[in-house]
Amino acid sequence: MALLKASDLVKRFGNANAVKGINFHIEEGRCVSLLGPNGAGKTTTLKMLSGLLEPTSGSIDFKGKKAKDLRPFIGYLPQYPAFYNWMSGKEFLVFAGQLAKLNRKEAEKRSEELLERVSLTNAKKRKIAGYSGGMKQRLGLAQALIHRPQLLILDEPVSALDPLGRREVLDMMREIKEETTILFSTHVLHDAEEISDDILIMHAGEIAISGSLESVMEAYRQPILQIEFESQAADWLKSIASYSFVSEVSIQGNKANIVLGDMVNGKQTLLKDIVDRKLPVRKFEISQTTLEDLFMKVVKA
Amino acid sequence: MTQWTVLYRKEMTEMMRNYKMIWIPIVFILLGVMQPVSSYYMPEILDTFGGLPDGTILEMPTPTGTEVLMNVLSNYGMLGVLILVLSAMGVVSAERQSGVAGMVMIRAVPYSSYILSKWAGLLTITLISLFIGYAAAWYYTGLLIETVAFERIFQSVVIYSIWLVFVVTLTLLFSTIMKGNGSVAFVSIFVVFAISTVTSILGKYMKWSPATMTEHTGQVLLSGELDSSFLLAFITTIAIIIFLLILSIQIFKHKELLE
Amino acid sequence: MNELLNGIPWGAIAPILVLQLILMITAFVSCIREENTNGPKWLWILIILIIQLIGPVLYFVVGRRND
């Protein structure tokens, strides 16, 4: 059964529709990534799910029931988490726990557990004002988990972090996903490929593609030819577009990605061409389209 | 523990940590105490430092105790209001600006609990400062000038506190509406000043105005009796305070948090 | 001058001086512990120590960052 189901969700700001009637569902126990370029409506969607923003129309079902206020079931980490900087890390977690209706004892106990888990135990008594960006992000993760939510929503959890902080947070997410359903947004495709089970690709307020990572990759996978030259070979690359088996050519400097309809026939013809024309080739490789290629295709369409 | 209590305790802890709980009452005490002290020593000060020619006989009637206390309240009306507004201006706006208000509201906290905990925090600091400061002023007046009946002191401070509660409630509203701390303070002080001025110019038509609380305070201090129009002013002031609170909650509900 | 000093009722004045001192110390401690003040910290310390009453109040209202 779906943990959460969104039906015809619309959010209008003034005259502009930020989210244009989207439908999707999240299965229990999955880690779902919400992909899309900036301005696609990802944050707006997440805010509507977490109850911070009221949808203009549409409905959200939680465990098959219409839910008015999902906040007790959801842990939310905003894109830019903010804290009371005069509190210590532990004080903030206890405060958040009590607001989530844990009693003082439970809140203390749970805070200690989570501080351990996000490796902030050593810094728990320090003022948050002195925390680094990565530490704040981890504290943000801990406050989202304080009331053992059934769904954890993370808005761009690693975008603002340096490579080290990013690694830490991703590793934590991998652990958390064993216990809790996760929905997180990102514009970094590599992160999505790394830890998610399902993906939703949003573009201009609509969901363009959704499904499990494998099935989406399977369905949209295309063989692709990657050629790298020692010098520019733009003339030739432009000319090959006229072959019937070439469906798309994209050129980046000395490299070219060529999507082929017929791989067997195509690669031989092209290879022969290169030899005949004595083009200075450095690399000639057959591979598959990646999530990034798919993403670019959706966004540019 | 209810969410309101958690939020209210957070307000109190915050006011302890940023020293508001210490400095605002101290300033109110000093403002209150300096009035009787300077009234008492004014003739001597003038005598010593005034450089008056010998033989000048100073005819400076020492003010009565009630006059001194009325001056104390008028100091509170100017400097006290200024300090309260400036210290309350960021109560909601700063938390909205930093985004931490959103971090609170992602828990299932009713909007009313958030605003009312803020309000209760403001009331606590305002009333503590006013009561302690005024009590100190009363003590010094008794010591240096003359004793004023406790009854009058008590009645006057209770009536005066309604005016200050109105002022901080107004500040809370503007802090919910606007984001810049400076503009919150400016607009709040401007509106308080405007209400006071209009009330004193159009006194006849403004008997219901919250600003008349300051006049009723003086009346009680001087005569020990309440003017007949007090009840009307009291009821409308309480009604306006409740209305301002409801308005703040509604506005807060429709503000986008976590931008 | 001595006469004037003797004439001062210290019982009444002393509490005022003590309170002013507490106010000054509180502002001073707060300023020292604050990581960022609005404007240079050394200036605020001077203002707090030199200007009685108004200095600490100004610091608390304007000099401290609210967060």
Side-chain angles (χ1 to χ4, degrees):
Chain A
M1 189 181 69
L3 181 67
L4 183 138
K5 184 161 163 282
S7 318
D8 301 319
L9 219 50
V10 175
K11 183 68 199 181
R12 187 178 300 133
F13 292 115
N15 285 329
N17 277 4
V19 172
K20 302 172 184 167
I22 57 175
N23 292 285
F24 65 91
H25 63 268
I26 292 169
E27 295 289 334
E28 198 157 0
R30 308 285 282 183
C31 177
V32 185
S33 60
L34 181 60
L35 298 166
N38 293 331
K42 300 189 300 278
T43 298
T44 308
T45 305
L46 294 184
K47 277 191 189 170
M48 284 193 284
L49 296 183
S50 60
L52 275 173
L53 208 56
E54 203 159 336
T56 307
S57 65
S59 67
I60 300 166
D61 294 1
F62 195 78
K63 290 195 157 173
K65 281 186 220 121
K66 287 250 179 309
K68 187 91 187 81
D69 191 355
L70 292 176
R71 290 180 294 178
F73 314 110
I74 285 177
Y76 184 75
L77 173 63
Q79 189 168 1
Y80 308 105
F83 305 94
Y84 292 112
N85 288 330
W86 52 270
M87 285 188 184
S88 71
K90 184 173 175 195
E91 280 173 328
F92 189 84
L93 284 186
V94 173
F95 170 73
Q98 287 181 304
L99 280 186
K101 299 193 171 163
L102 301 179
N103 68 39
R104 170 128 205 140
K105 249 189 177 161
E106 286 165 359
E108 295 254 358
K109 191 163 159 273
R110 182 79 179 136
S111 299
E112 289 290 349
E113 269 171 44
L114 286 167
L115 284 164
E116 178 83 50
R117 184 146 179 198
V118 299
S119 24
L120 282 175
T121 308
N122 291 330
K124 69 177 179 183
K125 285 186 180 154
R126 269 166 46 199
K127 276 188 175 182
I128 300 173
Y131 280 21
S132 69
M135 290 165 84
K136 283 187 183 170
Q137 202 69 10
R138 282 181 279 149
L139 184 63
L141 207 52
Q143 66 81 32
L145 288 167
I146 193 93
H147 56 303
R148 301 177 195 279
Q150 300 179 40
L151 173 62
L152 183 63
I153 297 183
L154 313 170
D155 194 359
E156 300 275 3
V158 295
S159 305
L161 299 178
D162 60 28
L164 197 70
R166 175 193 211 87
R167 191 73 263 150
E168 285 171 348
V169 171
L170 281 173
D171 287 344
M172 277 165 205
M173 284 170 67
R174 189 172 292 119
E175 265 177 50
I176 295 164
K177 109 186 201 190
E178 301 301 318
E179 304 157 27
T180 309
T181 312
I182 301 181
L183 170 64
F184 74 103
S185 73
T186 181
H187 59 259
V188 184
L189 299 152
H190 186 75
D191 300 338
E193 254 177 313
E194 191 179 327
I195 60 170
S196 54
D197 304 314
D198 297 332
I199 60 170
L200 296 164
I201 300 185
M202 264 189 104
H203 177 54
E206 283 169 291
I207 290 198
I209 293 171
S210 68
S212 76
L213 187 62
E214 297 97 57
S215 69
V216 168
M217 294 296 283
E218 195 65 48
Y220 294 89
R221 182 168 289 162
Q222 277 180 306
I224 191 171
L225 200 56
Q226 290 179 309
I227 312 178
E228 193 179 331
F229 298 97
E230 274 159 21
S231 57
Q232 295 254 350
D235 291 342
W236 177 70
L237 287 168
K238 272 174 201 148
S239 71
I240 61 169
S242 57
Y243 287 121
S244 60
F245 51 80
V246 172
S247 49
E248 205 185 312
V249 183
S250 63
I251 309 168
Q252 289 139 357
N254 290 348
K255 290 181 196 165
N257 283 347
I258 303 162
V259 181
L260 295 175
D262 176 0
M263 184 51 91
V264 181
N265 207 345
K267 76 179 175 205
Q268 287 194 341
T269 315
L270 291 180
L271 207 49
K272 189 163 172 289
D273 250 23
I274 290 171
V275 174
D276 287 350
R277 291 171 186 238
K278 298 202 171 71
L279 290 169
V281 75
R282 182 183 285 158
K283 198 171 107 186
F284 188 92
E285 191 181 51
I286 295 155
S287 68
Q288 304 278 331
T289 48
T290 60
L291 192 57
E292 186 169 339
D293 299 314
L294 171 60
F295 181 77
M296 296 310 281
K297 205 166 139 189
V298 168
V299 171
K300 283 181 178 162
Chain B
M1 202 155 45
T2 65
Q3 290 165 316
W4 183 87
T5 325
V6 175
L7 288 169
Y8 176 69
R9 281 181 41 170
K10 177 247 138 198
E11 287 298 312
M12 299 313 288
T13 318
E14 186 169 15
M15 284 196 279
M16 291 303 292
R17 299 251 180 111
N18 62 21
Y19 307 102
K20 274 185 191 168
M21 265 308 181
I22 301 174
W23 76 266
I24 298 178
I26 289 183
V27 170
F28 268 75
I29 294 173
L30 289 175
L31 282 178
V33 163
M34 278 171 180
Q35 197 65 40
V37 169
S38 65
S39 300
Y40 181 73
Y41 288 109
M42 196 48 85
E44 267 179 55
I45 293 168
L46 283 180
D47 200 24
T48 316
F49 302 106
L52 294 164
D54 278 346
T56 315
I57 299 159
L58 271 174
E59 277 296 337
M60 278 265 292
T62 312
T64 63
T66 48
E67 277 169 352
V68 170
L69 288 170
M70 278 174 75
N71 285 333
V72 169
L73 287 178
S74 101
N75 282 348
Y76 287 167
M78 300 290 288
L79 292 169
V81 162
L82 192 66
I83 284 168
L84 286 175
V85 169
L86 287 174
S87 72
M89 63 190 177
V91 66
V92 176
S93 63
E95 291 198 0
R96 262 194 342 114
Q97 209 161 20
S98 77
V100 74
M103 296 293 279
V104 170
M105 299 316 294
I106 52 183
R107 323 250 74 116
V109 175
Y111 295 94
S112 56
S113 297
Y114 180 85
I115 293 291
L116 291 179
S117 74
K118 294 280 177 196
W119 187 64
L122 291 179
L123 285 204
T124 310
I125 185 74
T126 304
L127 296 182
I128 285 181
S129 305
L130 174 65
F131 289 162
I132 295 183
Y134 198 60
W138 177 57
Y139 175 75
Y140 265 71
T141 307
L143 201 68
L144 299 173
I145 294 161
E146 62 176 343
T147 313
V148 179
F150 176 75
E151 237 182 19
R152 291 193 188 182
I153 291 300
F154 182 74
Q155 286 178 331
S156 64
V157 79
V158 168
I159 296 173
Y160 196 76
S161 67
I162 300 171
W163 167 241
L164 289 188
V165 168
F166 170 77
V167 170
V168 294
T169 312
L170 201 64
T171 312
L172 173 67
L173 172 72
F174 289 124
S175 189
T176 311
I177 296 175
M178 292 181 283
K179 255 190 170 176
N181 288 349
S183 42
V184 172
F186 180 79
V187 174
S188 306
I189 287 172
F190 179 79
V191 171
V192 168
F193 180 74
I195 293 174
S196 302
T197 313
V198 171
T199 304
S200 67
I201 293 174
L202 303 173
K204 236 179 21 185
Y205 308 100
M206 300 292 285
K207 294 228 179 292
W208 52 270
S209 160
T212 59
M213 284 300 152
T214 58
E215 291 159 24
H216 290 297
T217 308
Q219 178 84 18
V220 165
L221 260 181
L222 284 176
S223 69
E225 274 167 38
L226 276 170
D227 195 81
S228 57
S229 63
F230 173 73
L231 192 64
L232 171 70
F234 177 74
I235 291 170
T236 50
T237 305
I238 299 296
I240 292 173
I241 288 174
I242 293 171
F243 172 74
L244 292 177
L245 284 175
I246 294 173
L247 196 60
S248 303
I249 295 167
Q250 290 306 319
I251 289 170
F252 185 61
K253 202 179 274 185
H254 292 102
K255 287 280 179 194
E256 192 180 346
L257 305 165
L258 289 175
E259 279 149 48
Chain C
M1 203 64 197
N2 226 349
E3 218 171 284
L4 190 73
L5 276 177
N6 286 336
I8 295 175
W10 287 106
I13 300 295
I16 298 181
L17 297 178
V18 170
L19 281 177
Q20 292 210 350
L21 193 68
I22 296 175
L23 191 65
M24 192 175 86
I25 292 171
T26 317
F28 183 72
V29 169
S30 160
C31 188
I32 294 283
R33 289 174 63 175
E34 197 73 7
E35 274 175 31
N36 289 308
T37 48
N38 288 325
K41 199 184 239 191
W42 61 269
L43 187 65
W44 279 117
I45 291 177
L46 276 184
I47 291 173
I48 289 165
L49 295 182
I50 291 171
I51 313 172
Q52 276 300 312
L53 183 59
I54 314 265
V57 170
L58 265 182
Y59 164 72
F60 278 123
V61 171
V62 189
R64 258 186 75 91
R65 294 249 163 109
N66 262 332
D67 62 9

PDB file of all heavy atoms in Angstrom, chain B residues 21 52 57 97 115 129 132 139 153 211 241 250 258:
ATOM      1  N   MET B  21      16.142  39.855  30.838  1.00  0.00           N
ATOM      2  CA  MET B  21      15.524  39.730  32.157  1.00  0.00           C
ATOM      3  C   MET B  21      16.279  40.514  33.220  1.00  0.00           C
ATOM      4  O   MET B  21      15.783  40.718  34.309  1.00  0.00           O
ATOM      5  CB  MET B  21      15.481  38.251  32.568  1.00  0.00           C
ATOM      6  CG  MET B  21      14.181  37.586  32.252  1.00  0.00           C
ATOM      7  SD  MET B  21      12.801  38.510  32.897  1.00  0.00           S
ATOM      8  CE  MET B  21      11.469  37.486  32.402  1.00  0.00           C
ATOM      9  N   LEU B  52      24.164  80.649  41.546  1.00  0.00           N
ATOM     10  CA  LEU B  52      23.235  81.757  41.771  1.00  0.00           C
ATOM     11  C   LEU B  52      23.911  82.789  42.679  1.00  0.00           C
ATOM     12  O   LEU B  52      24.684  82.441  43.560  1.00  0.00           O
ATOM     13  CB  LEU B  52      21.954  81.230  42.443  1.00  0.00           C
ATOM     14  CG  LEU B  52      21.117  80.277  41.587  1.00  0.00           C
ATOM     15  CD1 LEU B  52      20.127  79.527  42.457  1.00  0.00           C
ATOM     16  CD2 LEU B  52      20.414  81.039  40.489  1.00  0.00           C
ATOM     17  N   ILE B  57      16.948  83.834  47.168  1.00  0.00           N
ATOM     18  CA  ILE B  57      16.210  82.850  47.970  1.00  0.00           C
ATOM     19  C   ILE B  57      15.463  81.930  47.024  1.00  0.00           C
ATOM     20  O   ILE B  57      14.703  82.374  46.165  1.00  0.00           O
ATOM     21  CB  ILE B  57      15.224  83.547  48.929  1.00  0.00           C
ATOM     22  CG1 ILE B  57      16.019  84.437  49.887  1.00  0.00           C
ATOM     23  CG2 ILE B  57      14.419  82.515  49.713  1.00  0.00           C
ATOM     24  CD1 ILE B  57      15.175  85.514  50.511  1.00  0.00           C
ATOM     25  N   GLN B  97      12.813  35.890   9.808  1.00  0.00           N
ATOM     26  CA  GLN B  97      13.932  36.230   8.941  1.00  0.00           C
ATOM     27  C   GLN B  97      14.998  35.130   8.946  1.00  0.00           C
ATOM     28  O   GLN B  97      15.515  34.761   7.913  1.00  0.00           O
ATOM     29  CB  GLN B  97      14.539  37.543   9.406  1.00  0.00           C
ATOM     30  CG  GLN B  97      15.180  38.325   8.305  1.00  0.00           C
ATOM     31  CD  GLN B  97      15.334  39.777   8.706  1.00  0.00           C
ATOM     32  OE1 GLN B  97      15.301  40.110   9.892  1.00  0.00           O
ATOM     33  NE2 GLN B  97      15.517  40.633   7.744  1.00  0.00           N
ATOM     34  N   ILE B 115       2.135  32.344  18.626  1.00  0.00           N
ATOM     35  CA  ILE B 115       1.947  33.782  18.871  1.00  0.00           C
ATOM     36  C   ILE B 115       1.669  34.046  20.355  1.00  0.00           C
ATOM     37  O   ILE B 115       2.235  34.972  20.946  1.00  0.00           O
ATOM     38  CB  ILE B 115       0.783  34.321  17.996  1.00  0.00           C
ATOM     39  CG1 ILE B 115       1.154  34.271  16.519  1.00  0.00           C
ATOM     40  CG2 ILE B 115       0.405  35.738  18.404  1.00  0.00           C
ATOM     41  CD1 ILE B 115       2.242  35.240  16.098  1.00  0.00           C
ATOM     42  N   SER B 129       9.127  44.306  34.860  1.00  0.00           N
ATOM     43  CA  SER B 129       9.872  45.562  34.856  1.00  0.00           C
ATOM     44  C   SER B 129       9.047  46.700  35.454  1.00  0.00           C
ATOM     45  O   SER B 129       9.532  47.465  36.283  1.00  0.00           O
ATOM     46  CB  SER B 129      10.280  45.937  33.430  1.00  0.00           C
ATOM     47  OG  SER B 129      10.992  44.888  32.848  1.00  0.00           O
ATOM     48  N   ILE B 132       8.383  46.099  39.424  1.00  0.00           N
ATOM     49  CA  ILE B 132       9.581  46.297  40.249  1.00  0.00           C
ATOM     50  C   ILE B 132      10.018  47.761  40.229  1.00  0.00           C
ATOM     51  O   ILE B 132      10.321  48.358  41.259  1.00  0.00           O
ATOM     52  CB  ILE B 132      10.740  45.397  39.761  1.00  0.00           C
ATOM     53  CG1 ILE B 132      10.385  43.933  39.959  1.00  0.00           C
ATOM     54  CG2 ILE B 132      12.024  45.716  40.505  1.00  0.00           C
ATOM     55  CD1 ILE B 132      11.500  42.992  39.577  1.00  0.00           C
ATOM     56  N   TYR B 139       8.993  53.326  46.989  1.00  0.00           N
ATOM     57  CA  TYR B 139       9.817  53.218  48.198  1.00  0.00           C
ATOM     58  C   TYR B 139      10.677  54.472  48.366  1.00  0.00           C
ATOM     59  O   TYR B 139      10.728  55.073  49.444  1.00  0.00           O
ATOM     60  CB  TYR B 139      10.689  51.969  48.112  1.00  0.00           C
ATOM     61  CG  TYR B 139      11.666  51.843  49.254  1.00  0.00           C
ATOM     62  CD1 TYR B 139      11.234  51.455  50.519  1.00  0.00           C
ATOM     63  CD2 TYR B 139      13.021  52.140  49.067  1.00  0.00           C
ATOM     64  CE1 TYR B 139      12.123  51.352  51.571  1.00  0.00           C
ATOM     65  CE2 TYR B 139      13.922  52.035  50.111  1.00  0.00           C
ATOM     66  CZ  TYR B 139      13.469  51.649  51.367  1.00  0.00           C
ATOM     67  OH  TYR B 139      14.344  51.557  52.410  1.00  0.00           O
ATOM     68  N   ILE B 153      -1.159  53.378  44.826  1.00  0.00           N
ATOM     69  CA  ILE B 153      -0.046  52.869  44.039  1.00  0.00           C
ATOM     70  C   ILE B 153      -0.464  51.623  43.287  1.00  0.00           C
ATOM     71  O   ILE B 153      -0.259  51.477  42.081  1.00  0.00           O
ATOM     72  CB  ILE B 153       1.137  52.504  44.974  1.00  0.00           C
ATOM     73  CG1 ILE B 153       1.729  53.753  45.576  1.00  0.00           C
ATOM     74  CG2 ILE B 153       2.204  51.725  44.230  1.00  0.00           C
ATOM     75  CD1 ILE B 153       2.257  54.701  44.550  1.00  0.00           C
ATOM     76  N   ALA B 211      -5.248  54.890  25.044  1.00  0.00           N
ATOM     77  CA  ALA B 211      -4.324  55.900  25.558  1.00  0.00           C
ATOM     78  C   ALA B 211      -4.889  56.629  26.774  1.00  0.00           C
ATOM     79  O   ALA B 211      -4.142  57.243  27.536  1.00  0.00           O
ATOM     80  CB  ALA B 211      -3.969  56.896  24.464  1.00  0.00           C
ATOM     81  N   ILE B 241      -7.023  44.613  22.416  1.00  0.00           N
ATOM     82  CA  ILE B 241      -5.882  43.704  22.622  1.00  0.00           C
ATOM     83  C   ILE B 241      -6.209  42.309  22.090  1.00  0.00           C
ATOM     84  O   ILE B 241      -5.412  41.701  21.364  1.00  0.00           O
ATOM     85  CB  ILE B 241      -5.503  43.652  24.129  1.00  0.00           C
ATOM     86  CG1 ILE B 241      -4.836  44.977  24.532  1.00  0.00           C
ATOM     87  CG2 ILE B 241      -4.555  42.483  24.413  1.00  0.00           C
ATOM     88  CD1 ILE B 241      -4.554  45.117  26.010  1.00  0.00           C
ATOM     89  N   GLN B 250      -3.823  35.213  12.714  1.00  0.00           N
ATOM     90  CA  GLN B 250      -4.298  35.008  11.339  1.00  0.00           C
ATOM     91  C   GLN B 250      -3.237  35.405  10.320  1.00  0.00           C
ATOM     92  O   GLN B 250      -3.020  34.713   9.331  1.00  0.00           O
ATOM     93  CB  GLN B 250      -5.586  35.818  11.087  1.00  0.00           C
ATOM     94  CG  GLN B 250      -6.799  35.287  11.828  1.00  0.00           C
ATOM     95  CD  GLN B 250      -7.052  33.812  11.552  1.00  0.00           C
ATOM     96  OE1 GLN B 250      -6.927  33.354  10.423  1.00  0.00           O
ATOM     97  NE2 GLN B 250      -7.384  33.056  12.586  1.00  0.00           N
ATOM     98  N   LEU B 258       9.944  29.634   6.067  1.00  0.00           N
ATOM     99  CA  LEU B 258      10.984  28.877   5.358  1.00  0.00           C
ATOM    100  C   LEU B 258      11.009  29.184   3.876  1.00  0.00           C
ATOM    101  O   LEU B 258      10.605  28.374   3.063  1.00  0.00           O
ATOM    102  CB  LEU B 258      10.756  27.370   5.510  1.00  0.00           C
ATOM    103  CG  LEU B 258      10.997  26.751   6.861  1.00  0.00           C
ATOM    104  CD1 LEU B 258      10.605  25.306   6.804  1.00  0.00           C
ATOM    105  CD2 LEU B 258      12.431  26.896   7.286  1.00  0.00           C
TER     106      LEU B 258
END
